[in-house]
Amino acid sequence: MSTFADRLKAARQYAGLTQKALADRSGVPQPNISRIERGGQDSSAHVVGLATACGVRPEWLAGGQEPMVAEGGNIASAPRPVRAFEDSDPLDADEVEVPRLTLKLSGGSGRLQWEIDQHGASNRFRKSWCAKKGLRAEKLVTVMIEGDSMAPTIPDGASVTVNTADTTLRNGRLHAIDYLGEFFIKRLLRQPDGSLLVRSDNPDKTRYPDWPISPEHADALRVLGAPVSVSADLD
């Protein structure tokens, strides 16, 4: 690629970023990025920031010196500035909004039903992240977790995003489940006799022992989805 403009566009596409997303990550205004990609603006002042944001080598971006990416490098290592937003802010082109939900017991079926939490903030994810994970944004929901039964995997107060399209029971994996009208996120383990063992990740088994579900009571358990992301504050 003979020009900086061509290399920047290739780097941005490699990172799966729109011009706006690259601007947010690099701190270079989006109009400047647009002009650089059209070959209409000097780029020397922004080489390091743009290269870091895209996860490519500055030497490659500046002059085409191979390789494009450092050995062992990947775009996940590129730092991303934190961007605060309000729920009323418009979505970026590469963003999707995932609602925060609560669960309530249905009076008819006696089963838990998702309900939008009117007091909870929504979460935002990048479309490129959803595509990489094979997720459909409209099937994602976020719930708040109370208690430390799944710590350290899921700390008390964590926000967990659940893929409601994935209701297949997979041995040893985390599942969001409805069991006898109660909501849990637990690890499910199939047993040789056909029963299920419901396990908390907290190592204190005095407080959080495993509990079995016999084959006769398996119908009382319903898989609501698979947790795909956990967000929690550090102590």
Side-chain angles (χ1 to χ4, degrees):
M1 297 180 184
S2 58
T3 69
F4 185 94
D6 291 338
R7 288 191 295 275
L8 177 58
K9 186 174 182 180
R12 179 172 61 78
Q13 292 173 342
Y14 164 76
L17 300 173
T18 62
Q19 288 185 353
K20 179 65 169 62
L22 177 56
D24 290 340
R25 186 183 289 192
S26 67
V28 179
Q30 188 271 331
N32 293 36
I33 293 173
S34 178
R35 285 193 292 271
I36 292 171
E37 289 193 357
R38 296 198 306 269
Q41 179 173 323
D42 177 57
S43 56
S44 57
H46 306 300
V47 169
V48 174
L50 291 170
T52 301
C54 292
V56 301
R57 295 175 63 246
E59 296 86 352
W60 176 85
L61 185 60
Q65 179 182 333
E66 297 290 348
M68 175 181 177
V69 181
E71 184 177 353
N74 58 68
I75 61 174
S77 63
R80 298 186 182 186
V82 173
R83 180 174 66 87
F85 65 88
E86 300 291 340
D87 282 351
S88 58
D89 290 348
L91 293 172
D92 286 349
D94 189 42
E95 286 183 329
V96 294
E97 191 169 53
V98 176
R100 180 175 296 173
L101 304 186
T102 56
L103 286 155
K104 69 174 184 177
L105 192 64
S106 169
S109 65
R111 288 189 164 190
L112 291 172
Q113 303 292 331
W114 297 111
E115 182 178 74
I116 292 178
D117 182 354
Q118 301 295 338
H119 304 290
S122 59
N123 284 0
R124 296 188 180 194
F125 293 92
R126 294 196 176 277
K127 292 178 182 177
S128 52
W129 177 81
C130 293
K132 180 180 179 181
K133 297 287 187 180
L135 303 172
R136 293 161 53 195
E138 68 273 15
K139 293 296 184 179
L140 300 178
V141 299
T142 298
V143 293
M144 299 301 295
I145 301 301
E146 296 182 3
D148 64 351
S149 69
M150 292 303 292
T153 308
I154 304 176
D156 181 21
S159 171
V160 178
T161 300
V162 176
N163 177 21
T164 63
D166 185 359
T167 57
T168 301
L169 197 158
R170 292 182 172 84
N171 190 43
R173 300 289 297 275
L174 291 178
H175 300 76
I177 61 173
D178 168 7
Y179 183 61
L180 298 176
E182 292 191 65
F183 174 73
F184 302 94
I185 291 183
K186 297 293 181 185
R187 208 170 290 279
L188 301 179
L189 298 96
R190 295 185 184 276
Q191 301 301 293
D193 62 359
S195 64
L196 286 174
L197 203 62
V198 182
R199 175 165 294 171
S200 299
D201 280 5
N202 193 311
D204 186 350
K205 294 309 174 187
T206 301
R207 295 172 59 207
Y208 301 110
D210 296 343
W211 38 283
I213 299 178
S214 67
E216 294 77 18
H217 295 95
D219 289 344
L221 182 145
R222 181 169 61 116
V223 177
L224 301 173
V228 294
S229 176
V230 177
S231 177
D233 294 334
L234 295 176
D235 292 335

